[in-house]
Amino acid sequence: MIIIADCGGTKSDWALVCDDRTVVRMQTGGINPIHQSEDDIVKQLDAVAQEVTRRRAVVSTLDIYFYGAGCNAVGTGIVSAILARVFAPFAPGLHVWSDLLGAARSLCQHAEGIACILGTGSNSCLYDGESIAANTPPLGYILGDEGSGADLGKHFLHDLLKGQLPEQLRDEFYSSCQLSYPQVIQRIYQQPRANSFLASLAPLIHRHLDNQQVYDMVLDRFRSFVHYNLKPYRRPDLPVSFVGSVAYYFRDLLAEAIEREGLKMGTVARTPMAGLLAYHGVDAADV
């Protein structure tokens, strides 16, 4: 059996590829060694471990290919140790990489390209067909993460609460989030995961792209993502591909931003799992 994992801070997607090539798909809560304790991570892994144990009779060997948020130089070691402990009965072969490399392998397979993540946060890399050749630091939603869900939400709220958008849209916002103005400010500045709250406004923003100010704001944030994160790679010859919910649902506007900045649009996928299965040799017919 091989296990392929795509793990973010909010949710984790798992594909268990059995010896007979059938594929079991699972979803658990998010895993990020930077923000979670080891006990929290173990809890998310328990359901996967139980499914593997249930199939013990048909598991001859176990290889785990784990792509995760927070899997930097420190996080990789933490996740590797936890996986080794949880799956110890199967003596697994462990391979732990960043979610960014997962996105690049999913989108580009073994070809050169520029691979990007646009979800709650944003990130990008220059991919040489095997590994990450260059990465512009994303800097998080306060200093960076241009074009991400959190970034769109931040700029949308700025315009909305400063009175730059129609009153009807402001009323819809308050109704949908069921928060007053003081509660919105408290939610952003005094409670955890402000980035997730801001990113949760993406569907509302998408519904109002017919408003020219909203449209222009989103286009501007996507162009800022290209300007600050992709232009430094100096590879206008390569296609730019994206994975993530924001990229997927705003793909037409994203393509306009890419074109206006003089780059070439590549592919867009909502999640990287299908591409990761292909990269690791799993036939789409088995999925």
Side-chain angles (χ1 to χ4, degrees), residues 264-278:
K264 297 193 301 184
M265 190 68 177
T267 60
V268 179
R270 191 168 64 85
T271 73
M273 184 55 77
L276 286 174
L277 285 165

Side-chain angles (χ1 to χ4, degrees), residues 7 23 25 66 86 111 147 197 230 237 254:
C7 299
V23 179
R25 300 290 291 269
F66 185 101
V86 171
F197 170 71
L230 307 186
D237 57 306
L254 185 57

